């Protein structure tokens, strides 16, 4: 058999590999193509906040916008390593009294009041 | 008939946009349609060479946009076909010379004279490529059966759907067609090249034509003759079929089977 394999090497069908790789990469790119421009910034800020409490890597938090008909859905998926949540050492969760800290909030106009302030 | 603006675009460079633009424009002219082919690749003029009129360029697209020359001073009439005109681009390095309102004005003027305005887009997704596709009614996506070309084509299809004038004005979308070039049935049979069905399935747009990899394409560009003028060229025939389909005809796909070449043809034959 080894001799046969040597004489007639089975050539890998690389075209199929190309097809499958393209399908995967394009599915991903099409999903993010129509996404609003603020998504990367939103994802980074969410990562910062979650990262203050639990150990998290960049690829464990995904933000997506999907729309169907009249409805848009902002989808935030946070996947955590393993079965147990690992709190960050000396992170915000370990502090007995959480310090009041200025929370960075993205607002279109910094001078305008935040949306939860009642006008007047 | 209202004039139609056809853009040949791809995202990726070197896939055969200019060759295809020259072939499609010449094919439309051979069918009796008054056709002009415009080079949008400002700074990297090449359509003139492919069309064989490089020594007759006096004024260019940017001259006309800036009002330094009249349209009929810049248009070059093809010596082989009375219905065919070439509109060369400028060699300026100023990429922003291609102003959108100026392009619109020139295209509107061309629409009074011509049936088809074929736009040869530069590679990439920068200003020149976006300007070339912005006014399109029809887009021909030139794609090679190869991963990077297919991916870039997908990106350009997305841009056509969102950034073209038809998209911005909520008009009927640009009619998008796939033109698969440099296709080699032998390599597909060996499992080395993406097959037509794969590319069609991935990009999911209608197939306008498949152009076989052919030595005649390089011969055509060497001599500055659009490949459709070579009656012996399989690629030329495939382009003419594609033009027929563009005009709404039903044409069977040809040149997709592995050809068994006789020993004699291998020795003396032409591709």
């Amino acid at each position: 058999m080894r001799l046969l394999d040597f004489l007639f090497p089975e050539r890998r069908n690389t075209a199929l590999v190309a097809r499958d790789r393209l399908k995967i990469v394009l599915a991903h790119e099409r999903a993010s193509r129509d996404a609003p421009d603020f998504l990367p910034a939103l994802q980074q800020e969410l990562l910062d906040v979650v990262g203050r409490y639990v150990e998290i890597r960049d690829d464990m938090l995904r933000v997506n916008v999907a729309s169907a008909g009249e409805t848009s859905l902002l989808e935030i998926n946070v996947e955590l390593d393993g079965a147990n949540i690992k709190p960050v050492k000396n992170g915000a969760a370990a502090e007995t009294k959480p310090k009041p800290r200025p929370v960075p909030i993205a607002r279109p106009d910094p001078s305008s009041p935040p949306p939860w302030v009642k006008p007047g | 008939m209202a004039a139609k603006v056809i853009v040949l675009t791809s995202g990726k460079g070197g896939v055969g946009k200019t060759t295809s633009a020259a072939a499609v424009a010449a094919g439309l002219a051979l069918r009796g349609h008054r056709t002009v082919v415009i080079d949008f690749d400002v700074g990297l003029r090449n359509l003139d060479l492919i069309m064989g009129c490089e020594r007759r360029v006096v004024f260019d697209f940017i001259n006309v946009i800036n009002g330094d020359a009249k349209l009929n001073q810049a248009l070059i009439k093809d010596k082989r076909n009375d219905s065919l005109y070439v509109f060369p681009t400028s060699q300026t390095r100023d990429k922003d010379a291609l102003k959108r309102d100026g392009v619109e004005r020139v295209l509107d003027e061309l629409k009074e004279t011509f049936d088809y305005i074929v736009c040869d887009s530069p590679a990439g997704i920068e200003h020149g490529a976006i300007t070339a596709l912005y006014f399109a009614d029809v887009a021909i996506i030139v794609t090679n059966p190869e991963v990077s070309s297919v991916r870039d084509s997908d990106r350009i299809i997305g841009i056509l759907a969102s950034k073209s004038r038809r998209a911005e004005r909520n008009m009927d979308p640009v009619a998008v067609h796939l033109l698969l070039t440099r296709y080699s049935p032998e390599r597909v049979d060996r499992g080395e090249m993406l097959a037509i069905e794969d590319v069609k399935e991935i990009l999911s747009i209608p197939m306008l034509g498949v152009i076989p990899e052919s030595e005649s394409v390089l011969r055509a560009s060497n001599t500055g003759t659009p490949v459709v003028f070579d009656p012996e060229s399989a690629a030329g025939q495939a382009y003419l079929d594609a033009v027929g389909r563009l005009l709404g005809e039903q044409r069977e796909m040809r040149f997709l089977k592995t050809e068994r070449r006789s020993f004699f043809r291998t020795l003396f034959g032409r591709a």
Side-chain angles (χ1 to χ4, degrees), chain B residues 5-269:
Chain B
V5 179
I6 303 174
V7 64
L8 284 100
T9 186
S10 69
K12 188 175 182 297
V15 296
K17 278 185 298 299
T18 303
T19 302
S20 300
V24 167
L28 285 166
L30 280 172
R31 299 292 302 270
H33 299 287
R34 286 163 299 173
T35 306
V36 58
V37 55
I38 312 180
D39 192 347
F40 271 78
D41 202 347
V42 175
L44 292 168
R45 176 200 290 164
N46 270 323
L47 181 68
D48 55 339
L49 267 181
I50 300 301
M51 294 295 293
C53 63
E54 68 278 8
R55 292 173 61 175
R56 297 163 66 203
V57 176
V58 182
F59 294 110
D60 59 50
F61 198 10
I62 304 297
N63 293 143
V64 177
I65 286 175
N66 292 339
D68 299 331
K70 293 240 166 57
L71 195 51
N72 57 18
Q73 293 177 293
L75 290 179
I76 303 170
K77 188 174 180 179
D78 189 85
K79 288 191 166 162
R80 295 151 295 211
N81 190 303
D82 287 343
S83 304
L84 183 59
Y85 285 79
V86 181
F87 197 178
T89 194
S90 161
Q91 285 287 45
T92 177
R93 288 169 66 184
D94 176 14
K95 289 283 174 195
D96 298 324
L98 209 56
K99 294 184 199 77
R100 192 172 277 183
D101 53 346
V103 172
E104 182 172 26
R105 216 177 48 241
V106 173
L107 289 180
D108 284 343
E109 202 179 333
L110 287 168
K111 282 179 183 174
E112 292 168 15
T113 318
F114 290 99
D115 302 322
Y116 288 99
I117 301 165
V118 177
C119 305
D120 179 23
S121 170
I125 49 172
E126 302 296 318
H127 177 70
I130 302 298
T131 310
L133 66 79
Y134 183 74
F135 297 100
D137 301 306
V138 177
I140 298 176
I141 312 296
V142 185
T143 307
N144 290 166
E146 178 268 328
V147 284
S148 53
S149 176
V150 174
R151 182 196 212 173
D152 291 0
S153 294
D154 190 75
R155 186 110 165 80
I156 280 285
I157 294 168
I159 290 172
L160 276 159
S162 62
K163 296 248 161 66
S164 63
R165 180 166 69 169
R166 283 176 168 273
E168 280 185 1
R169 297 190 180 172
N170 283 322
M171 299 158 71
D172 290 339
V174 178
V176 180
H177 302 276
L178 179 61
L179 186 67
L180 198 58
T181 56
R182 308 200 67 168
Y183 189 76
S184 166
E186 294 82 11
R187 303 200 73 185
V188 173
D189 285 352
R190 290 204 297 264
E192 294 174 0
M193 182 180 270
L194 286 164
I196 298 169
E197 290 310 316
D198 293 339
V199 181
K200 221 175 125 179
E201 186 199 336
I202 290 167
L203 294 178
S204 57
I205 55 172
M207 182 71 80
L208 185 70
V210 179
I211 313 300
E213 171 85 74
S214 164
E215 292 168 15
S216 59
V217 173
L218 184 57
R219 277 202 303 273
S221 79
N222 284 342
T223 55
T225 318
V227 72
V228 291
F229 287 134
D230 177 355
E232 291 180 33
S233 161
Q237 298 294 307
Y239 274 118
L240 288 175
D241 285 351
V243 167
R245 291 184 202 109
L246 196 62
L247 296 171
E249 296 162 11
Q250 292 287 329
R251 298 261 188 125
E252 206 176 316
M253 293 276 181
R254 296 190 284 166
F255 317 110
L256 307 182
K257 299 259 157 61
T258 309
E259 222 179 293
R260 278 195 177 272
R261 284 160 63 113
S262 70
F263 179 64
F264 187 78
R265 262 186 78 87
T266 309
L267 275 183
F268 303 108

